[in-house]
Amino acid sequence: MAGVGSESQLLDLRTERQTGSTQCKDSEQQETSIDAELSPGLNASCLTTGELQQHWRAVKQKMRSTKLLFEIPSTRIAQHDTSRYVVYQIVVIRSGSYDRKCAAIERRYSDFFNLHQQLLQDFSQELEEVTLPRKKLLRNFSEENIAERRVALCDYLAQLYARRCVRRSPAFMAFFTHPELKTSYDLLRGGRFSHALEALQSAFELQEKLSVHDPTLLVPTMCALLVCHRDLGHVDAAFQTGHRALPTVRRYGLCRYHGPLLQAMVHLGFQLEHPVAQLQDELMKVQNSPRGPVSLVTLKELVVQEFT
């Protein structure tokens, strides 16, 4: 069966999603009232007053402007052994401006069901008014029923996202990124760096949209991207990726990544003939930290431990 969906249907869905996104506004406005609390893991003692103020201005602006829309523009029927099921293509879009990074993922109904069961374990009260669309007993694969469920699943994701505690939960993030990240790390461990790089970049785009509340969630993926770029000979891209990850590692005190990331950047800097004296000094301070001995594991060894 051909995929259900068209350009006109996608436009209709976007209009419907704009209506559904109004449910998120109240909770998004509440999320900007965060002056009294620090983001998870923020090492405030390492920041000056000016840096803290700059940090909070950036966080508030990001939270104020970022709203997400969830669309399912198409579906397909898949067959595996004796099992037949519908696969839904999900696109996460930033509203309010043109979003060039429309990364798409595919999930089947059982993935939605597993997500709902996980969320109910921690947020049963918050989800009292949220219902997962049910399968129908008859004509489950008809175009009409698939199109109806597609719209209902979009509304379901919008309702989940409207609840701050839910959208910040590991289960919600894992629904969108875990299968792709696991595949990426499997490819990386197998030495298939070009395929791993492509998969990681797609997953990273989704992570950026979903992890505004906690930038530390991006660090492992950025380190994996650095390793892929470096091993493919993309030295400048690898260095730039590390340069992007390092401020978050410093700010949030991510000791596990600090030494290995600095060590990788020093080597890359030498290759690029960049000045690395400051990075070397920082690496020495990390290695001689009074908190205790620093792990001698390399960044690649650290990365390949993910999803094992």
Side-chain angles (χ1 to χ4, degrees):
M1 176 180 171
V4 179
S6 65
E7 292 290 334
S8 60
Q9 287 176 315
L10 179 55
L11 290 174
D12 291 340
L13 280 170
R14 290 194 177 189
T15 302
E16 293 173 4
R17 299 287 70 72
Q18 291 285 355
T19 302
S21 69
T22 58
Q23 300 172 359
C24 303
K25 290 184 178 179
D26 291 340
S27 56
E28 289 290 346
Q29 290 170 352
Q30 291 173 1
E31 196 151 6
T32 63
S33 301
I34 51 177
D35 297 270
E37 56 177 310
L38 292 175
S39 296
L42 179 61
N43 190 354
S45 62
C46 297
L47 304 180
T48 66
T49 301
E51 288 174 330
L52 278 171
Q53 291 175 343
Q54 183 180 6
H55 166 72
W56 281 120
R57 280 196 297 269
V59 169
K60 287 182 178 182
Q61 180 58 34
K62 215 170 185 183
M63 290 182 174
R64 186 177 294 118
S65 61
T66 302
K67 297 180 180 66
L68 299 183
L69 305 178
F70 301 90
E71 298 178 357
I72 301 180
S74 66
T75 62
R76 63 183 176 87
I77 304 296
Q79 184 87 31
H80 181 68
D81 295 332
T82 59
S83 176
R84 188 166 176 244
Y85 53 88
V86 180
V87 178
Y88 301 88
Q89 184 193 62
I90 305 170
V91 177
V92 182
I93 302 173
R94 283 195 183 101
S95 66
S97 62
Y98 179 67
D99 188 354
R100 296 181 181 180
K101 298 180 179 180
C102 295
I105 58 172
E106 287 190 333
R107 297 292 183 268
R108 48 190 295 190
Y109 182 85
S110 60
D111 296 317
F112 284 92
F113 180 81
N114 291 335
L115 169 65
H116 195 68
Q117 296 305 308
Q118 291 178 53
L119 293 175
L120 285 176
Q121 293 179 16
D122 296 319
F123 310 111
S124 57
Q125 292 185 342
E126 291 83 355
L127 297 180
E128 284 182 351
E129 299 179 3
V130 179
T131 303
L132 176 68
R134 294 183 179 181
K135 283 187 176 181
K136 295 187 177 181
L137 296 177
L138 301 175
R139 304 182 69 240
N140 207 37
F141 296 99
S142 70
E143 290 191 17
E144 180 182 356
N145 285 342
I146 291 174
E148 181 180 328
R149 193 181 308 126
R150 187 176 65 185
V151 173
L153 288 172
C154 284
D155 290 336
Y156 171 73
L157 291 175
Q159 289 183 64
L160 292 183
Y161 183 76
R163 287 153 174 80
R164 178 180 175 182
C165 59
V166 173
R167 70 171 173 267
R168 289 185 167 204
S169 68
F172 187 75
M173 175 71 75
F175 172 81
F176 290 95
T177 62
H178 187 275
E180 285 71 25
L181 285 174
K182 187 178 186 307
T183 297
S184 301
Y185 283 98
D186 287 343
L187 290 168
L188 192 156
R189 278 189 289 270
R192 301 174 64 185
F193 298 112
S194 58
H195 291 89
L197 179 63
E198 182 179 355
L200 282 166
Q201 287 173 330
S202 180
F204 184 72
E205 290 171 3
L206 272 174
Q207 280 186 307
E208 278 191 298
K209 296 177 182 182
L210 294 162
S211 63
V212 174
H213 64 284
D214 187 1
T216 64
L217 298 174
L218 300 174
V219 169
T221 308
M222 284 192 281
C223 289
L225 285 167
L226 184 156
V227 169
C228 286
H229 278 304
R230 183 189 62 190
D231 285 16
L232 287 169
H234 308 158
V235 181
D236 187 62
F239 186 83
Q240 292 303 322
T241 302
H243 185 71
R244 183 179 177 184
L246 191 54
T248 302
V249 171
R250 291 169 177 154
R251 178 177 293 165
Y252 293 87
L254 304 183
C255 301
R256 183 172 179 232
Y257 289 93
H258 202 171
L261 180 58
L262 283 169
Q263 191 174 53
M265 290 189 66
V266 167
H267 291 159
L268 291 166
F270 274 126
Q271 289 180 259
L272 294 167
E273 298 184 351
H274 289 341
V276 295
Q278 289 185 342
L279 292 175
Q280 287 178 306
D281 289 343
E282 185 177 350
L283 177 59
M284 187 172 296
K285 289 179 182 178
V286 170
Q287 292 175 334
N288 297 326
S289 171
R291 297 178 182 177
V294 175
S295 173
L296 298 179
V297 67
T298 66
L299 189 64
K300 186 172 184 177
E301 289 171 335
L302 186 61
V303 164
V304 297
Q305 294 173 8
E306 297 288 338
F307 290 90
T308 54

